[in-house]
Amino acid sequence: MTQITRRTLMQGAAAVGLAGAFGGRSALAADEPLGITLVVPSPIGDVGWGHALAAGLEPIKAAYGDKVKVTVVENIPEGPDADRIMNKTVADGNKFLIAGSFGYQNGALQIARRNPQVTVLHASGFQVAPNFSPFAAKYFQGTYLLGMAAAALSKTGKLGSVSAFAIPELITSINAFTLGAQAVNPDIEVSVVWVNSWFDPAKEQEAAKALIAQKCDVIFSNAQDTPSVISACEEAGVYSFNLNSSMKSYAPKTYLGCVSTDWSPFFKASVDAHLAGTFKGANTFLGVADKVVEVVDWSPSIPADTMTKIKAAETKIADGSLSPFTGPITKADGSEVVASGKTMTEAEIVAMDWHVKGVTTPLPK
């Protein structure tokens, strides 16, 4: 796999133009391998969102060998840089693009519309085209389970979340975390600090410390691409968990678990369909039943009786008989949003722009 950093890419662009960074070809010959490019907003490290996306491409390389050429372009901020880089990689003949950030949506969709022969997968979002599929994980299925564990371990009844951006995908994760915790302790409260960044280690650490100062004794690191929150919690003796890939090595004593994502089933099926000429854009929402979402590295500190309840709930989530968003559910403002016995549809979940009762921090406007 070729891995290109923003600095390397921009230096190459200044010296020889962006074409030089991608090989300078305007099109691939018929016998050339399928060019697959993943663009992500943060550095590819050993943990986090970008790491999970890159790991999801490994089975494709194993399956297709030299029939595919995978390039990862890391640390590309949302905006003009991302648009230029995505456009250039397609102009250079790459036919499969994975736009790995919510803020890449508009530029990636325009690329798909201008290049019907190119397949574009876009992380999160809501737009769909014949060759453009947004994809998202049902993190809320895992955060509900970790909420149950958090409530069982919390001594203060106060939980916290350091969260990246107030988008539905992350709002649903917080709400399910709260509802899972309230299933164990109805009086649980959750405070949130929005850092408005996917990658800001210093700001993330400050946010974690602020929540700990408010007596939050379990912290949810919600879509951070660094272990800053997890490390700060370990230092303070506070339980923590995160999304996408395990950070247990950064908190061997106080790690509660990880809502991990394995994107390889979706990526492999999409590449298969592209090569077969059968790809059809769709809004793809994947979870436990799809073997994309799984909670791993459960803390041994979780009481045995709670763990039994968690595993029973996990089984029901997998077979579809339990949804974290089955009513009655009340909004933070006290109004009922889901009636007793009713379950929110996927369309309603992906459009969520409100917090459940128990989340004490208002959503940013």
Side-chain angles (χ1 to χ4, degrees):
M1 185 188 317
T2 302
Q3 192 161 313
I4 300 173
T5 66
R6 183 173 185 272
R7 175 177 292 182
T8 301
L9 186 61
M10 293 307 174
Q11 285 175 342
V16 296
L18 274 174
F22 285 104
R25 292 174 295 178
S26 59
L28 292 174
D31 59 350
E32 288 280 350
L34 171 66
I36 301 172
T37 300
L38 165 66
V39 183
V40 292
S42 52
I44 298 290
D46 61 337
V47 294
W49 168 250
H51 172 80
L53 290 179
L57 293 170
E58 292 300 318
I60 294 171
K61 291 157 57 181
Y64 284 105
D66 59 7
K67 293 181 180 179
V68 298
K69 181 181 179 181
V70 176
T71 301
V72 176
V73 188
E74 60 181 323
N75 207 23
I76 305 302
E78 298 167 341
D81 279 354
D83 291 349
R84 284 194 295 269
I85 288 162
M86 290 189 295
N87 273 291
K88 191 57 185 176
T89 188
V90 168
D92 286 341
N94 294 279
K95 302 297 185 187
F96 199 99
L97 172 65
I98 304 174
S101 188
F102 181 84
Y104 296 164
Q105 178 175 253
N106 291 340
L109 181 60
Q110 292 306 314
I111 288 171
R113 287 173 172 167
R114 290 193 301 267
N115 300 276
Q117 79 283 7
V118 173
T119 293
V120 181
L121 308 181
H122 174 258
S124 302
F126 51 88
Q127 300 275 12
V128 178
N131 58 331
F132 184 93
S133 282
F135 65 94
K138 296 178 182 179
Y139 293 115
F140 62 86
Q141 294 179 332
T143 62
Y144 180 87
L145 301 173
L146 280 160
M148 295 174 68
L153 291 172
S154 176
K155 293 181 172 60
T156 65
K158 296 179 182 294
L159 313 179
S161 177
V162 179
S163 295
F165 290 96
I167 61 174
E169 195 172 348
L170 304 193
I171 294 170
T172 61
S173 296
I174 295 168
N175 284 344
F177 171 50
T178 306
L179 292 171
Q182 290 172 346
V184 174
N185 176 1
D187 297 324
I188 283 286
E189 293 184 345
V190 177
S191 299
V192 183
V193 177
W194 296 99
V195 294
N196 296 314
S197 175
W198 302 117
F199 188 86
D200 191 332
K203 197 171 183 180
E204 293 159 12
Q205 192 169 72
E206 289 173 7
K209 290 179 179 178
L211 290 168
I212 293 167
Q214 296 171 35
K215 301 191 181 306
C216 296
D217 57 0
V218 183
I219 308 293
F220 169 22
S221 179
N222 190 8
Q224 273 74 57
D225 235 356
T226 82
S228 299
V229 172
I230 304 299
S231 297
C233 291
E234 174 80 354
E235 184 177 342
V238 168
Y239 287 103
S240 64
F241 73 96
N242 68 291
L243 306 181
N244 295 309
S245 65
S246 177
M247 296 184 184
K248 184 177 181 179
S249 62
Y250 292 93
K253 295 179 181 178
T254 62
Y255 196 59
L256 189 61
C258 172
V259 184
S260 70
T261 47
D262 178 5
W263 292 111
S264 60
F266 172 61
F267 287 171
K268 176 66 164 50
S270 298
V271 170
D272 291 347
H274 174 90
L275 291 170
T278 59
F279 183 90
K280 294 181 180 179
N283 201 329
T284 309
F285 202 26
L286 304 168
V288 172
D290 308 292
K291 301 192 182 304
V292 170
V293 173
E294 180 185 8
V295 180
V296 299
D297 291 338
W298 288 105
S299 170
S301 299
I302 301 168
D305 60 335
T306 302
M307 202 67 225
T308 298
K309 293 175 183 176
I310 288 170
K311 287 300 181 181
E314 186 175 38
T315 298
K316 290 181 178 180
I317 287 172
D319 68 21
S321 60
L322 172 65
S323 167
F325 296 119
T326 295
I329 298 175
T330 303
K331 286 185 179 182
D333 65 9
S335 62
E336 184 178 79
V337 65
V338 184
S340 180
K342 299 291 184 180
T343 298
M344 294 181 69
T345 65
E346 288 191 357
E348 291 170 333
I349 292 170
V350 299
M352 193 176 289
D353 60 355
W354 45 267
H355 273 319
V356 298
K357 184 179 179 180
V359 179
T360 60
T361 308
L363 279 167
K365 295 181 179 180

